[in-house]
Amino acid sequence: MRALRRWLDDTVGGLPATFWYLWAGLLINRAGAFAMLFLSLYLTEARGASEALTGTVVGAYGLGGAAGVLLGGVLADRWGRRATLLAAHLGTAGLMAALAFSRHLAVIAALAALVGVAHSMPSPAFVAAIVDVVPEQRRSRAFNLQFWAFNLGMAVASLLAGLLAEASFVALFLVDAAATLAAAAVIGWKVPETLTRVRAAGPTERGGRATRQRRVRAPGLHTALTDRTFLVFVGLTFVLAVLTMQTSTIMPLAMRADGLRPSAYGAVVALGGLLIVVGQLFVPRLIDRHRKHHVLAVSTGLLAAGFAALAVADELAVYLAAAVVWTIGQMLAAPPNAQINADLAPPELRARYQSVFYLAFPAASFVAPTLGGVSLQYLGDRHWLIVGGLGLLAAGCHLLTGPARDRRVAALRFAQAPARTPAPVR
């Protein structure tokens, strides 16, 4: 019993109430956010699009997301975290309802791009709000719980979506819109604004003379976009995202080519979510004693092995076994990836760095289906060998670049540490 209490305290203790409301909003959103997972199947089965055209339309979603993360980062610093989250969730709900009743591929592609914008806007605001309210020593646990909630919701969504897709694709989009509205209600009701604003004061009286304080302005995105150490890490995160995006963009097409039904795809995604729900809370104790770049190298290697195994997959059992391998890789990668991102960002540039970091995911959402659809169509199962080779290359790069990241984080912490007053000379 004492061991259980100690584990619970280490895992979930010491986190503020605002974090848990953010966590609840994310969980509700993810539990119903399954429409874009099945967009490729919707286009091929309901709209008769080819694999290459499907990849292009799904890629429009990723292209819109690239603009969305930058917009979300800027708005999170200007409007505030809460306002950005509410605007993005309400916009997503309306766009999903429009997608439910759209029939022309051009309209669907345009709406997919706009959904990409709205879906990606909350990411910098969510993480910036978590960093705003969670003490530094608890952030790794908070990010681990965030990833756990995301995948718990995805597991629920995938089980329901596989059944709904066989009954009605329209229902997919409408349930997604309803879940997004529910998440917006939680955020609007319980999440306060976490951004600390620096107000520009007008003339003030000091000693009988009027003085004017200067407005403090945060630097622009160019600082993050020219930070080489940070950009190398973002590039490796992009490769990680390209690998993980295979499950929602290219793998459904491969399973369809093997004669498997949408419910089989839902089972594979649900298995991954279930493994994360069961095991993710134990990951911090497993990896905390290891250096972050070593953990990322191992996790990326597991992702590479799992997807390379799909080159010989033609039955559901093989897909499920491969999913176990790449899911373990995802579980190990989530906490150090988020923690390194937070550590590399100067406090005054938090949302800007988050927006640049999250560019990796919409960029992967564009590249993975656009190139992957063509690759699968013309290379067949060899596509998965290419994906595996890319993952192994990224694993090696983590080992090479990790020490430089560690030195950069140490330098930032030293610069942020309060200056020590020298002892008086006697």
Side-chain angles (χ1 to χ4, degrees):
M1 193 67 178
R2 290 180 180 178
L4 177 60
R5 289 177 180 175
R6 189 181 307 112
W7 175 77
L8 287 172
D9 183 65
D10 288 342
T11 305
V12 302
L15 295 171
T18 297
F19 167 78
W20 289 112
Y21 290 125
L22 288 165
W23 183 89
L26 176 65
L27 178 62
I28 295 169
N29 182 287
R30 289 296 94 193
F34 40 63
M36 302 312 287
L37 284 175
F38 281 77
L39 182 60
S40 58
L41 290 178
Y42 169 68
L43 290 168
T44 53
E45 292 191 4
R47 296 290 162 250
S50 67
E51 291 179 347
L53 181 58
T54 295
T56 302
V57 174
V58 176
Y61 169 78
L63 191 62
V69 289
L70 293 177
L71 180 62
V74 173
L75 293 180
D77 275 344
R78 293 186 178 178
W79 285 4
R81 323 311 193 198
R82 181 176 181 272
T84 302
L85 290 172
L86 288 175
H89 280 77
L90 294 175
T92 298
L95 291 167
M96 283 296 177
L99 268 173
F101 301 105
S102 298
R103 297 293 178 266
H104 298 290
L105 285 174
V107 175
I108 293 172
L111 288 172
L114 292 175
V115 170
V117 174
H119 263 179
S120 298
M121 280 176 59
S123 298
F126 260 123
V127 177
I130 290 172
V131 177
D132 288 344
V133 301
V134 176
E136 182 178 355
Q137 66 272 20
R138 304 300 298 173
R139 286 174 190 164
S140 179
R141 298 296 193 269
F143 290 135
N144 193 60
L145 287 166
Q146 179 196 17
F147 184 70
W148 183 66
F150 182 91
N151 286 277
L152 175 61
M154 288 289 288
V156 174
S158 300
L159 288 173
L160 295 175
L163 299 175
L164 282 173
E166 294 182 0
S168 170
F169 279 109
V170 172
L172 282 175
F173 297 106
L174 293 180
V175 173
D176 193 315
T180 305
L181 285 175
V186 171
I187 293 169
W189 180 36
K190 285 293 186 179
V191 176
E193 181 53 60
T194 65
L195 174 64
T196 301
R197 300 182 183 276
V198 179
R199 298 178 60 186
T204 59
E205 294 295 331
R206 288 185 182 175
R209 292 187 302 173
T211 62
R212 186 179 300 275
Q213 295 181 351
R214 294 182 179 179
R215 180 186 296 270
V216 179
R217 294 182 182 272
L221 286 170
H222 70 279
T223 304
L225 292 171
T226 55
D227 186 334
R228 293 182 181 180
T229 302
F230 176 68
L231 290 179
V232 169
F233 176 66
V234 171
L236 292 174
T237 303
F238 166 75
V239 176
L240 178 70
V242 168
L243 267 62
T244 57
M245 288 290 175
Q246 301 299 312
T247 59
S248 60
T249 57
I250 305 304
M251 190 180 71
L253 302 178
M255 294 183 73
R256 178 173 176 267
D258 288 332
L260 299 173
R261 297 176 63 82
S263 57
Y265 168 62
V268 173
V269 178
L271 173 63
L274 179 62
L275 288 174
I276 291 172
V277 169
V278 173
Q280 189 67 46
L281 295 180
F282 299 93
V283 167
R285 280 179 172 266
L286 180 65
I287 67 175
D288 277 351
R289 63 182 181 272
H290 300 287
R291 303 186 73 174
K292 292 181 177 65
H293 61 276
H294 290 166
V295 176
L296 287 174
V298 171
S299 63
T300 308
L302 288 172
L303 282 161
F307 286 111
L310 296 187
V312 297
D314 55 6
E315 296 180 358
L316 178 58
V318 181
Y319 280 98
L320 292 172
V324 172
V325 177
W326 74 59
T327 300
I328 293 173
Q330 287 180 276
M331 291 166 62
L332 296 176
N337 209 52
Q339 188 64 46
I340 291 171
N341 175 37
D343 289 344
L344 289 174
E348 66 275 12
L349 300 174
R350 188 167 290 155
R352 266 80 167 179
Y353 267 66
Q354 293 296 333
S355 66
V356 173
F357 172 78
Y358 275 98
L359 272 177
F361 300 98
S365 296
F366 175 74
V367 171
T370 303
L371 296 183
V374 176
S375 175
L376 184 67
Q377 184 171 334
Y378 292 103
L379 298 179
D381 290 336
R382 286 174 292 176
H383 164 79
W384 300 112
L385 297 178
I386 295 173
V387 172
L390 181 64
L392 290 177
L393 179 63
C397 290
H398 271 299
L399 293 176
L400 291 174
T401 60
R405 289 198 300 267
D406 290 344
R407 291 191 295 270
R408 170 66 182 279
V409 171
L412 281 172
R413 287 177 177 170
F414 180 79
Q416 295 165 20
R420 295 183 179 178
T421 304
V425 178
R426 300 191 176 202

